[in-house]
Amino acid sequence: MVHSGNVAARDDGELAIFDHRMRTLVISDLHLGTRLGRDVLRRPEALEALLEAVSRADRLVLLGDVVELLEGRATRAMEIAGPVMRAIGARLGPDREAIVVPGNHDAPLVRPWLRAHGGPATVDAAIPPAATPALASLTGWLAPARVRVHYPGFWLGDGVWATHGHYLDVHLVPESGYGIARGLLGRLPRDGAIPADYERPGVPRVTGAEALLTRWLPRPLAAAADDVAELLQAATMAGLTPRRGLQLRLAPLLAPLLGAQMRYASLPALARVVHRLGVGADHVVFGHVHRLGPLAGDDPRRWRGPGGRPLLANTGSWTYEPLLLHHARPPHPYWPGGALVVEDGGPPRAVGLLDHLGAAALRAGLQRPARARGRRSGTL
């Protein structure tokens, strides 16, 4: 079916009138400027594919971890992010909108302002686009598009709430186990919590350390640490099986560390966040764990909160993770280029915007451990 205005020309030659729906494109986890060079939007083919999708959207939501600001290379990361954001803003133009919802790896965009104002009190707090110098740069690059900033989430429409999802980390820490008492880890937010309760110092988290390791370790060790962190994160998601392309060569080593309470834990943890914050959404869109879904073949029961609500959907990421994609081909839940399309009146729909690109186009310039250089990369 070919669309033109509000008339759809069907393949059988008939014409059908359809109601215009606002189409929102949601992407997250671009991680522009990462030290290891795994952010694929530096590649011209990947950027052009995103821009083509942006041109067909009425609104773009950047749902966190747009710029990698936790590796101690903030200036360089912003330099890399600038051309990408300018291209997106130019493609949106003055008549369309970009919504920025920071995550944990780009939290410095808003954290100083939040601390000065007592933290976010609501689940969709509006943040001034120039709240910090870094945020002012980012929102300025997106001109001439109209830009709004919200944190920790944004209502895409009736019953559809979007958030980066990093609050779920708090609930990945088991209530007891690993020889550490809950009292030593800090108190979890309870029912009736506000977002500021998830932001306070001392709240336990189990992810984010990978950025610090990547910052300080030599490149070969940093790459290995990043691989392990991605594998641990992937192990908390539903539908992770070797037949989807993940070669768990490190599984015998890591299995004792994962634990039953960590397996397939991200989705229930996010549902717990939604409940604790009192978010009355039918659909919740999030990023953070880099796993696009739900996809065909996924167990839909794993993508639902208790009692069947809310329905959960993840944006995937725009990073190429060699360990997760070893000998993999698209479509694949961890293939770069994941996005969600949300149309008024419909559920979020997962799409792979880079499924037409092979690994060679996405791995160009990828930093690899010294021992791996010079080896035959193979076809992924």
Side-chain angles (χ1 to χ4, degrees):
M1 182 177 288
V2 179
H3 296 295
S4 176
N6 64 343
V7 178
R10 298 199 317 215
D11 294 338
D12 60 5
E14 297 180 7
L15 294 180
I17 305 298
F18 63 91
D19 294 329
H20 176 74
R21 296 178 177 179
M22 174 176 282
R23 172 176 289 190
T24 299
L25 180 68
V26 187
I27 60 174
S28 76
D29 296 275
L30 313 184
H31 290 280
L32 291 165
T34 181
R35 177 190 176 196
L36 298 176
R38 294 176 174 179
D39 46 320
V40 300
L41 285 177
R42 302 190 203 190
R43 307 350 168 207
E45 299 93 336
L47 179 57
E48 184 53 40
L50 173 59
L51 296 178
E52 176 61 25
V54 168
S55 70
R56 299 194 302 269
D58 299 302
R59 179 174 63 177
L60 175 69
V61 177
L62 297 167
L63 199 59
D65 289 3
V66 173
V67 190
E68 180 52 72
L69 298 179
L70 294 189
E71 294 181 354
R73 305 170 70 252
T75 300
R76 177 59 178 156
M78 292 293 281
E79 289 174 353
I80 292 171
V84 175
M85 294 296 105
R86 290 189 183 100
I88 290 173
R91 190 62 62 99
L92 284 170
D95 298 326
R96 289 181 289 169
E97 188 175 44
I99 309 295
V100 177
V101 182
N104 54 324
H105 282 250
D106 56 6
L109 294 172
V110 295
R111 184 171 289 149
W113 189 90
L114 291 172
R115 287 176 175 170
H117 292 81
T122 65
V123 298
D124 62 344
I127 309 295
T132 67
L135 184 61
S137 295
L138 182 71
T139 56
W141 293 332
L142 288 168
R146 296 175 285 115
V147 183
R148 286 193 282 163
V149 183
H150 288 258
Y151 187 84
F154 175 72
W155 288 98
L156 299 179
D158 291 341
V160 184
W161 186 62
T163 184
H164 179 66
H166 53 292
Y167 287 176
L168 70 83
D169 289 356
V170 172
H171 297 287
L172 291 180
V173 179
E175 293 294 333
S176 63
Y178 308 110
I180 303 175
R182 162 58 66 193
L184 298 178
L185 291 173
R187 182 175 297 176
L188 288 174
R190 301 299 181 185
D191 290 359
I194 62 173
D197 295 327
Y198 281 92
E199 300 281 342
R200 69 176 187 268
V203 172
R205 295 172 177 86
V206 297
T207 64
E210 70 274 12
L212 297 178
L213 292 174
T214 303
R215 174 179 180 178
W216 294 111
L217 291 175
R219 270 201 176 91
L221 294 179
D226 188 75
D227 287 340
V228 170
E230 286 293 330
L231 181 59
L232 290 170
Q233 181 168 268
T236 71
M237 284 300 293
L240 181 66
T241 59
R243 65 176 177 272
R244 296 199 72 104
L246 179 61
Q247 303 296 314
L248 298 178
R249 293 177 296 175
L250 298 181
L253 175 63
L254 296 175
L257 302 177
L258 294 176
Q261 294 188 71
M262 289 289 289
R263 294 185 186 275
Y264 309 138
S266 288
L267 295 170
L270 182 67
R272 193 166 294 117
V273 171
V274 172
H275 173 75
R276 297 283 167 89
L277 293 176
V279 178
D282 295 319
H283 298 272
V284 173
V285 169
F286 73 113
H288 186 54
V289 295
H290 295 194
R291 203 286 191 184
L292 181 66
L295 300 172
D298 286 338
D299 184 349
R301 295 172 297 180
R302 290 196 179 274
W303 294 83
R304 296 174 181 267
R309 287 291 187 272
L311 303 179
L312 307 175
N314 189 267
T315 55
S317 82
W318 292 72
T319 63
Y320 189 97
E321 300 295 342
L323 183 61
L324 293 177
L325 297 174
H326 182 67
H327 289 309
R329 296 176 183 272
H332 186 280
Y334 289 96
W335 198 260
L340 294 173
V341 175
V342 183
E343 294 181 330
D344 290 349
R349 176 168 51 90
V351 296
L353 298 179
L354 300 184
D355 283 0
H356 63 291
L357 294 179
L362 301 176
R363 294 184 62 165
L366 185 68
Q367 294 289 347
R368 289 177 289 168
R371 288 188 303 171
R373 291 173 187 156
R375 293 181 181 176
R376 182 176 179 269
S377 61
T379 301
L380 302 188

